[in-house]
Amino acid sequence: MVTATWYLILAAGLFTIGAVGLLVRRNPLIMFMCVELMLNAVNLTFITFGRELNDIGGQVSVFFVLVVAAAEVVVGLAIVVAINRRRPQATADDLSALRG
Amino acid sequence: METAVFIVCAAIVLAGALGVVLARNPVHAALSLVGTLFGMAVLFLNLEAHFLAAVQIIVYAGAIVVLFLFVIMLLGVDRLEDLSVEPITGQRTLAILVGLGTFVLAVAFLLSSSIGPTGPKILTLDITENFDQYSNLRQIADVLFTDYVYAFEATAALLTISVVGAVVMSRRMARSDEAQESAGDD
Amino acid sequence: MLPILAQAEIPEIHWLPLIPHLVMAGAAVVLLTIVSLVGSRLPPWFASAWTVAAGLGVLATAIPVSIRVSQLGPHSTIAGSIGVDHFSVFIVILLAGTVVLTALIADGFLQREGLDGPAFYVLLMLSAAGGMTMAVANNLIVLFLGLEILSLAVYVLVAMHLRRAESQEAGIKYFVLGAFASAFLLYGIALVYGATGSLNLIDIENILRNDNLGDNGLLLAGMAMLLVGLGFKVAAVPFHAWTPDVYQGAPSPVVSYMAAGVKAAGFAALLRVFFAGFGEVADDWQPVVFGLAIASLAVGSMLAIVQTDVKRILAYSSISHAGFILVGVQAATDDGVASVLFYLAAYAAMAIGSFAVITVVSGPGDEGTGIDSLRGLAARRPLLAAAFTVLLLSQAGIPFTAGFWAKFEVITAAVDARSFWLAVIAMLAAVVAAFLYLRIVVAMFLDAPEPDAPRLRIPRGPAVAVAIVVLFTLAVGVYPEPILDLADDALLSLRLHVPTH
Amino acid sequence: MSTLVDLVWLIPAFPLAGVLILLALGRRLGEPRAGWLATAMMGGSFVATLLVFIGLIGHEGDERETVVTLFEWVPAGKLAVDIGFLADPLSITMALFVTGVGALIHLYSIGYMHGDEGFSKFFIYLNLFAFSMLMLVLGDNLLLTFLGWEGVGACSYLLISFWFTDEANASAGKKAFVTNRVGDWGFLVAMFLAFLTFGSLQYGEIFFEVESHGVAAGTASAIVVLLLVGAAGKSAQFPLHIWLPDAMAGPTPVSALIHAATMVTAGVYLLTRMNPIIAEAHGWVPDLIMWVGLGTALMAATIAVAQNDIKKVLAYSTVSQLGFMFVAVGSGAYVAAIFHMVTHAFFKALLFLGAGSVIHGMDGDQDIRRYGGLARLLPITSMTFVAGWLAIAGVPPFSGFWSKDEILAYAYGENKVLWVLLLATAILTAFYMTRLVLMTFFGPPRWAEAEAQVEAEAGEEAEDTAEAASEAGPPHRHPHESPWTMTVPLMALAGLAIVAGVFNLPFTSDVHFLGNWLKPSLFGNSGHLPFGGGTQWILAIVAIVGSLGGVSAGAVVYIRRRIDPARIEHPFLARAWRIDETVSNFMGGPGRRAFERTTQFDEQVVDGAVDATGTLIRRAGTKLRVSQTGLVRSYALGIAIGAVGLLAWFIYRAGL
Amino acid sequence: MDGSMVLPVIIFLPLVGAAAIALIAPSRSMVLKPVAVATSAATGALTLWLMAAFEAGDGGFQFTQFAEWIGSAGISWHVGVDGISLFLVVLTGFLFPIAIVACDPPHDAKAYYIWMLVLETGCLGVFLALDLVLFFLFFEVVLIPMYFLIGKWGHENRKYAATKFFLFTMLGSALMLVGMLALALLTARETGGAVTFNLVELANSAGELPTITARWIFLSFALAFAVKVPIFPVHTWLPDAHTEAPTAGSVILAGVLLKLGTYGLVRFGLYLFPEASRYFAPLLFTLGVIGILYGAVVATMQRDLKRLVAYSSVAHLGFIVLGIFSINTEGIEGGLLQMVNHGLSTGALFLLVGFIYERRHTRQISEMIGLQKAAPVLAAVFTVVMLSSVGLPGLNGFVGEFLILAGAFVAHRWWAVVAAAGVILAALYLLWAYQRVFHGTPDDANRSMPDLNWQEKLVMAPLVGLIVFLGVYPKPVIERMEPAVNALIEHMEEVEGIESPTVGDRPEGSFEELRELKAHYGEEEGH
């Protein structure tokens, strides 16, 4: 029998991979994907807790997270598109005019 | 059975995640993401979140990843990223250390604690008690339109923003010498 | 099917407390509709005026809410997910005021820069609606949604100056980091949910009071993650790094909204979650906030003094201010909450005014934000320089400005909580920060203007906005009692709530 | 109660009025009316003093003390100080010769300062000085005395640097003031101690407290020693004497009035006034006063032997004579001290004014090596000067003999060694004064041919002669006698210098006028000679022989030229035992360096620390700025590190 | 005039004047100065009236006015005057018109007069406030006008000096604010009463705080005041600020602003923290002595005349600190008196240096020589003022200095002995400077320097007059101070429950009684 802990550890691992991915990748799109990974990890955590607590709240939360994720991606991609129009192929590291 | 499903799905999820992080081609990364999302959906099923499993596929794999791919194609940003170089000194080492730290600490917290309060629990809606009578969808709907009705309505604002935002950002800005007239005719 | 339907109890909904939110969000949607229908036939000032009206409408509708709260006491509605108390009213008023003033500032600015007017105001109002949601949220998911509404709109606002590369760079930075921090916040929510079994702060507070969960790892980890997310929003060190870049890159009116509104909403959420929700385990998080406060004060002040861009200076100073406000949070007392609210109100005025001045001074393209562009402003535009000076002195905490009382209240709270050393450090940081305000004042008053400096045009909107905040700053500086009373009344204690669920 | 004594306030009021009138109208009055006004004020003051004197005489012997209080000055806490005047035999004695001699010198100044552009200012200062001196003498409490004490110091400063365009004068004035201040420090601290001990600064109350409750010997000793420091400063006793010779830079009437007759005797007056405290002090305290006096007297006498500036000779002689007075105070011979003070005031004022007359006649030249044979050209000056010479040399029956003899007698009673040394000093005095007189008034005139020689030596003795050389007039001079305003005071003072001995004749207690007169002020603290009249006669004869010996020795050296004067005028003596040099070298060398170091410390360490704090914060800001790379991934890393940090802290907190 | 209204009128009259000046049209700039002078003179007249109407024998607060201000925080509008503050108020009222009349700003006259008048309001507010927060507000707000006065109308290095002045002073008061809040809150906690910042109420419960707490709080106050005074080693803002400030700024800075610190030490140090004051008295005492000697030594070596005067302030203020922490009537009264005296004499010195600067456009001592020849009246006035600063008896500086040292001697005699050596050094640096500047033969640059004009004479006359008057007859001042000082000391003793060391009572005797006592001496004298 798989206990909740396994799910949670899996989620933690996924969250970590997402976080590390955001830190090491330069392509903004892939960075967004990493955020999605992190959100997915949270979703898994929510659902696991919900089941353990015998509570639907976790699942409802995931529902909202999904909506937020979708909206976030739209906005994020819109910004990326706008930037790419001016500076095609710009990586996250290229955008460092503001500093200091 | 559940264990087997978990192991397989976990493997898929992690592999997909690693694929996202390690793929040089953004298209490959997006496809790896799809893998993760599918694995996740199955795990949701495993956890008796049927509705969310479906939404996961439809919204995530179906809409979000497609959006990603669409943008990749639109912008032609499918150039390979050279992952052997890290321009920022120490970034990768620190990132991995931080990742390890987060993971180890999170696991330590998870393993050391019990879930839920020691006293009486406060349930939004008891899953098991009503499981026989209601579908998962029904349960979620119940809560969504009662206790979470405000949140549900708020998502409308969220979506409006994303629409307006996308429109604003995708507007082609006239060159600065045309700025005056373009401001006028909008 | 009927019995099943009967199962779903529709919770009691008090509409009155929600009216301000509905007015704000509704005004945005209506504006959007009008614009898409009538479009270019509208006069250029229409959207701005509409927004001002909407903000004033919110202010007006907040009054009955406030009266209701006075009559009934703090309570909650919609299954306990919405808290109706003076605290939220205070923040709502603050946000509405911020919207009004930002709209005034933005009026001339958007025309000058040739930017998409209506969209700006729509996003502004929606964002403010999100902020208000954060202020009233008694449910972590509602709070998260509010935060996302607030943030997503601001991401777009930051990036919307399409002719400025800095604007988009700021936008993408803010977005990536914001999403990253949101993920932490969300994870924190999940962990707290796992620890307490509830997403409702009232329930959580009850549980924490009855159970001894102080050493529950999930709860602690959840608090840590929540602090990351909210610390990011309020720009506390070490989650602050976006602030200077974004403040510098973003269109100036947006910055005034961010500094005043976003920060206020962030602190409102922080207080709701930590003071109200986790008040029972304050011993656990106080030291962390202590650390964040010191780090913010130190880093904010020290980095500010080596900057040359006024927006950057003020960005770092906003980090320092965040540290100051955290001092009030750290006290974890009712006085602390009141001091935070007062500080937020005072800071909102100074920040809006300061960025309004910068909006005016920066000139076409929003480029002239270097400290050089302020050189000799006193000779060119004495009143503007005087107004800016008042605002800067207020930021420095000089007497007879609102900023003084803000610091006074925060330090009072800290001292009352026996955090003497924190108070001392905060005051020392304030002295260091004073140096940078002086630098700006020096540039304006003691330096000669550039010989070829163009004549400054001061549009009516920003002029009115600056006049309002300066008057507010001075009036509160001389007689802070009304605002102090408001802040003192804005008790934030979930124990007083009567959950209707 | 005689109303005459109550007029005591008039004594200082006259010169004060003079000051105020001259301040308002001085320039309009112009020369010489300003001078006449000032002189008249001094005359009025003298008359007022006489009236008070007469009034006092009318009192019974023991009731010759009257305090006239004008108003409260400093009524603060326990401290209550009045502006009040004490008229008693001591103060009135002092006031008499201060106003008397002062009036004469004012008169003299009208002639002396003729043609000076600061004429009226000079008389303002002189009157102000007189006022201060009278406050010093008449004040009924230590603080008022101190007011006068400092006032005369300030006037001295102003008058020494009167011709301020010359750096040397300016320096001398500053030096006088600062050196005096060192002494004032002692006076101040003595006052604090007195206040702490007695709760009052008023003489009457202090003495009453001493009489009724007594005072610890240690405290009394401390007070006296501190007062001695003050007195040494004002009365130019070793080692604070260095200012007085330099003070000769001022106009000569100033030297006569302030730096010979009146101000410099203030120290003696103060110690005499405080005799009840001295009486309570340990035994070594009077001895200390005595030995300080003796050392100063002897040292100054040896220096005077080798000086070539006429005023410097007189200055060192003044220092020496003040030493005599200190010896007297130390041996309890207060009457002798006051007696000598009075006679000294007459003859030294006379000598200075005479010297002034000579300098006036020599167009400002002060070097005695360029004098000679002036007796014929300046008859009145030379005759009066001779009278002064005989008085100071201790030749009977001139006044100096009587007063000096009394001091010598007391010294003999105190300590034989002391007496021998003091006698030697007296002989030296006779010797160098003879030298001065002979070189100035007798022998061949040298004022023409000496010129070349002096110029040759100029390099070596630059310091001594710089002044003379710079003021040296045309090579062909025509020394002339001074106007009557200058000679009348000379004659008056000469008369006094000759006959003043009658004030206090030693033969019987009935003719011991001054002794009897002063008795009420001395509270029986006066010393008594432990031997009879026979010994006194022997001592007197020895003194006379000594004086005559000194005079003859001078004649032998400077008329007969039996001994080369250069062997006597040793450079070490000429350079005043190098004390002045040592002090200057210290002040200019290590002293100045210490001051500079302190200033550097202030600039670099104290202020440096402040600036360094600013720099440090700024530098820290610059360093931290590097963290703001502009790279979004760095920022994200920062957030992640922060998150891990928080998690770690909570782990620690949970004790996991 | 209603008694209770006079203080607010005094405080705010200059502010009203400032507002009036702000409304004057640029075309009518010639009326700026008359309005400023009239306002400050009217304020000065009111302060004189205050002095005249002041009940001399009363040690408590007079003309008090009380109103709730910020009730929730326990802050009130509470003003009043007693013997301790009276003469500082009068000094302020006196010096401002003089400073305004004496110096015309070279540019931006309107802003200049506005700031001067605002500054006056701030200073008066500090001296009259009887509520800690009210005091703090005024104390802190004074920085702004002074900052602008230095920064805008100062000399070459003005920006640095102004910023340093501002930050340094703010640093001190920043900590004081924490201390002030701790005092009010902890006292309220100890007594169980409501939080109040009322000075009198806090003083009455001064003994309630734990000793250690009170000491810490005292230190925070003392630091703020030490910076303002300034006490060694936190004095280095002063030479810069004084040197770079315009003449009127220097006058006010030296004459009034430094007194904010010393006044604070008395009013908020001794009064509120009797035990801590006594506990730390040796420390402050020592710093005062160091300041006296150190300030004098450093002043001696200055090449800049204004800087020299500035450092002389360090020495003088050292004396005042010494007097205050003698904690006896003589010392405190001396300190208070010396505050007034220092204001007059150093203010006058700065004016004179300013006059010289206007003529010679240099402050370097080495560039001046023989000025007495060129400007005898200036030199004469300078001499009087200098002698007052040196502490010559008969001039004002002496009385204060003497009382201070006498008080200090009673309290800690060896320190007083050392401090008294300061009188030597004071003579040294001032006389040396005078010698270098005024004595000697003037060179071409200095020969033609004009003497004081009638306006400048008019300005100096009252200063010199007061310098002499207070030296001769300080009683009117002292007798008004004394009841308040005695009340303060009684309060301290009451709180601490100890008696301060003091001098024995004045002996009852006099020469009359002495005569009877010593009658037997006459008999002894016979044989």
Side-chain angles (χ1 to χ4, degrees), chain D residues 194-217:
Chain D
F195 171 55
L196 183 65
T197 312
F198 307 115
S200 173
L201 291 176
Q202 209 192 351
Y203 294 125
E205 291 171 356
I206 291 176
F207 299 159
F208 176 80
E209 188 76 4
V210 171
E211 297 293 338
S212 56
H213 294 106
V215 58

Side-chain angles (χ1 to χ4, degrees), chain E residues 14-251:
Chain E
L15 199 63
V16 172
I21 288 177
L23 296 176
I24 293 176
S27 57
R28 308 187 58 195
S29 58
M30 71 292 271
V31 300
L32 289 172
K33 185 166 181 178
V35 172
V37 172
T39 314
S40 59
T43 313
L46 275 177
T47 63
L48 287 179
W49 181 87
L50 186 72
M51 180 171 67
F54 186 85
E55 192 73 43
D58 183 359
F61 292 105
Q62 306 183 21
F63 302 99
T64 53
Q65 192 193 35
F66 181 90
E68 281 281 318
W69 180 21
I70 305 167
S72 57
I75 301 166
S76 51
W77 168 266
H78 190 190
V79 291
V81 65
D82 71 349
I84 292 173
S85 53
L86 175 66
F87 289 95
L88 293 168
V89 172
V90 177
L91 178 73
T92 310
F94 179 75
L95 276 183
F96 266 92
I98 286 186
I100 292 175
V101 170
C103 321
D104 294 331
H107 55 87
D108 298 288
K110 189 170 176 175
Y112 174 85
Y113 290 120
I114 291 177
W115 285 130
M116 281 299 277
L117 292 174
V118 170
L119 184 63
E120 183 169 11
T121 285
C123 293
L124 291 167
V126 170
F127 292 134
L128 292 172
L130 294 184
D131 181 281
L132 264 67
V133 174
L134 189 62
F135 164 81
F136 184 84
L137 287 167
F138 283 118
F139 185 79
E140 189 89 332
V141 87
V142 161
L143 294 183
I144 308 292
M146 202 65 225
Y147 170 80
F148 278 102
L149 284 172
I150 297 174
K152 201 159 163 63
W153 292 274
H155 301 300
E156 309 80 45
N157 210 4
R158 58 182 185 273
K159 282 183 219 162
Y160 170 77
T163 308
K164 192 172 180 180
F165 160 76
F166 193 99
L167 292 181
F168 220 128
T169 322
M170 192 174 172
L171 178 77
S173 40
L175 298 184
M176 180 165 73
L177 180 62
V178 178
M180 196 174 274
L181 292 170
L183 173 69
L185 295 171
L186 297 180
T187 304
R189 201 171 285 182
E190 293 290 335
T191 57
V195 174
T196 177
F197 289 93
N198 189 322
L199 176 72
V200 181
E201 287 178 36
L202 281 174
N204 288 338
S205 43
E208 305 279 342
L209 279 184
T211 310
I212 301 294
T213 312
R215 285 179 190 168
W216 276 106
I217 299 175
F218 172 80
L219 273 187
S220 76
F221 277 65
L223 179 68
F225 297 136
V227 170
K228 201 87 175 182
V229 170
I231 298 175
F232 173 89
V234 287
H235 63 276
T236 62
W237 62 268
L238 178 119
D240 287 315
H242 268 125
T243 312
E244 300 301 333
T247 301
S250 302
V251 172

Side-chain angles (χ1 to χ4, degrees), chain A residues 77-95:
Chain A
L77 290 179
I79 295 175
V80 170
V81 168
I83 288 176
N84 256 274
R85 219 180 283 147
R86 185 189 285 268
R87 299 186 58 182
Q89 308 287 337
T91 69
D93 288 5
D94 295 338
L95 301 167

Side-chain angles (χ1 to χ4, degrees), chain C residues 62-121:
Chain C
I63 294 168
V65 180
S66 177
I67 293 168
R68 166 73 72 89
V69 176
S70 301
Q71 286 165 351
L72 297 183
H75 56 280
S76 60
T77 183
I78 317 186
S81 64
I82 300 297
V84 184
D85 49 20
H86 278 127
F87 177 86
S88 55
V89 172
F90 193 98
I91 297 288
V92 164
I93 292 174
L94 182 55
L95 281 167
T98 306
V99 166
V100 169
L101 293 168
T102 307
L104 285 173
I105 299 168
D107 181 33
F109 175 83
L110 293 173
Q111 285 166 39
R112 187 181 79 197
E113 303 296 320
L115 295 177
D116 192 354
F120 176 93
Y121 296 104

Side-chain angles (χ1 to χ4, degrees), chain D residues 476-523:
Chain D
H476 301 295
R477 298 205 181 123
H478 306 285
H480 51 86
E481 186 55 280
S482 304
W484 70 268
T485 48
M486 289 168 71
T487 50
V488 166
L490 285 177
M491 291 186 284
L493 285 169
L496 285 166
I498 294 167
V499 303
V502 301
F503 290 166
N504 202 29
L505 293 172
F507 306 115
T508 68
S509 61
D510 289 337
V511 291
H512 209 252
F513 299 113
L514 193 61
N516 294 333
W517 164 245
L518 286 177
K519 208 179 275 173
S521 299
L522 298 176
F523 307 109

